Amino acid sequence: MKPIFKVLLMSLVVAFCSCKDDEVSSAPSSITSAGVISGTISNYGLLPADSIAFSPEFGSKVTSDGKFSVTLTVPQMYDLEELGTIEGTVVSDSTAMCNKEILAAIVYLNGQQAGVMMKTNFSATSLSSLGSAFSTFVYCDRNVTIKGSNTEKINGGVYSGTVTSKWDVNYKKGWNEIVMKIESFSMSGGSLEETISISSNIPNGLKWSNMGNFGLPTQINMVRSFMNR
């Protein structure tokens, strides 16, 4: 069995180095169950864009004040995969089908790629560790919950240690916003210990940010690392 979210890539662990205050209050989701995802690019004035696309099929114009709205459709069956079981957790329906791949939001300006956009509490120039969080968007074909925690040992060559994933997910039928957050992080020499929460609770303080083209593959892979099974 492969869980829907994997632990952080080593590049993510190494990149995050400072500290951020925790934001715990709940905020509304940026996506409806029907797949309408919308928001405002918080740093639009610094990194302007005229369009955004979550895939070649799903895109929209960006207004002069940075607003966008994209309607996603129900994924095809070949884009879905059975949730399965996750060691250390209780999955209410392991036969539930969810999308395989993360949707990377690419922004464009004058027909040229102008960066990747994330809903997060950090920026490409201000990465942090403790309290770092970002959203991803998951389609599920039915209501299902995942509760519990599991710990994985990692060996990245230079670094090794354990990452614990704490699950508190309530998928509704349709599209869902799920938040990944670093709850604890410590590194001593080549040994690290990290705890990540995976939750349906959306904290205040998350903003849509254009991360720019600097480190673009890393930013996309950072999100995809949670989704690859």
Side-chain angles (χ1 to χ4, degrees):
M1 184 284 306
K2 301 176 183 178
I4 192 168
F5 304 108
K6 276 191 175 179
V7 298
L8 291 166
L9 288 177
M10 291 306 301
S11 59
L12 172 60
V13 174
V14 174
F16 288 168
C17 56
S18 64
C19 183
K20 179 173 286 294
D21 291 335
D22 196 8
E23 298 280 357
V24 296
S25 300
S26 294
S29 176
S30 291
I31 194 167
T32 68
S33 60
V36 179
I37 184 169
S38 57
T40 301
I41 304 174
S42 61
N43 58 345
Y44 176 82
L46 295 175
L47 294 172
D50 52 31
S51 63
I52 177 175
F54 285 84
S55 74
E57 298 85 8
F58 307 124
S60 81
K61 297 293 185 181
V62 176
T63 66
S64 59
D65 55 356
K67 291 181 170 58
F68 66 90
S69 181
V70 179
T71 301
L72 309 178
T73 60
V74 175
Q76 299 294 319
M77 282 301 298
Y78 52 75
D79 291 323
L80 300 176
E81 189 170 25
E82 191 173 282
L83 186 58
T85 58
I86 301 171
E87 184 179 357
T89 72
V90 176
V91 180
S92 64
D93 187 346
S94 62
T95 65
M97 304 290 287
C98 299
N99 54 306
K100 299 177 184 178
E101 294 291 334
I102 189 67
L103 295 173
I106 308 299
V107 292
Y108 297 89
L109 181 64
N110 299 324
Q112 300 296 315
Q113 185 171 298
V116 63
M117 191 171 66
M118 298 174 66
K119 185 179 178 183
T120 180
N121 61 359
F122 57 85
S123 69
T125 58
S126 179
L127 299 178
S128 62
S129 177
L130 186 62
S132 293
F134 65 87
S135 292
T136 188
F137 301 92
V138 178
Y139 177 85
C140 201
D141 70 347
R142 70 199 72 174
N143 294 351
V144 60
T145 62
I146 308 173
K147 307 288 184 179
S149 65
N150 65 296
T151 299
E152 296 185 57
K153 292 185 177 181
I154 59 173
N155 187 349
V158 177
Y159 296 95
S160 62
T162 61
V163 176
T164 299
S165 300
K166 296 164 53 180
W167 296 77
D168 184 17
V169 170
N170 294 283
Y171 287 132
K172 302 297 183 183
K173 181 179 180 180
W175 286 96
N176 301 264
E177 180 172 351
I178 305 298
V179 176
M180 320 298 171
K181 183 177 180 181
I182 299 179
E183 299 286 353
S184 66
F185 178 89
S186 65
M187 186 183 303
S188 177
S191 177
L192 63 90
E193 301 291 330
E194 187 173 34
T195 300
I196 303 166
S197 65
I198 305 169
S199 175
S200 299
N201 181 61
I202 304 167
N204 285 322
L206 300 188
K207 298 179 180 180
W208 287 102
S209 297
N210 181 355
M211 309 299 284
N213 280 318
F214 177 76
L216 179 59
T218 298
Q219 299 296 344
I220 294 176
N221 287 335
M222 182 178 71
V223 183
R224 284 180 172 160
S225 68
F226 282 99
M227 293 293 295
N228 292 336
R229 300 187 182 213

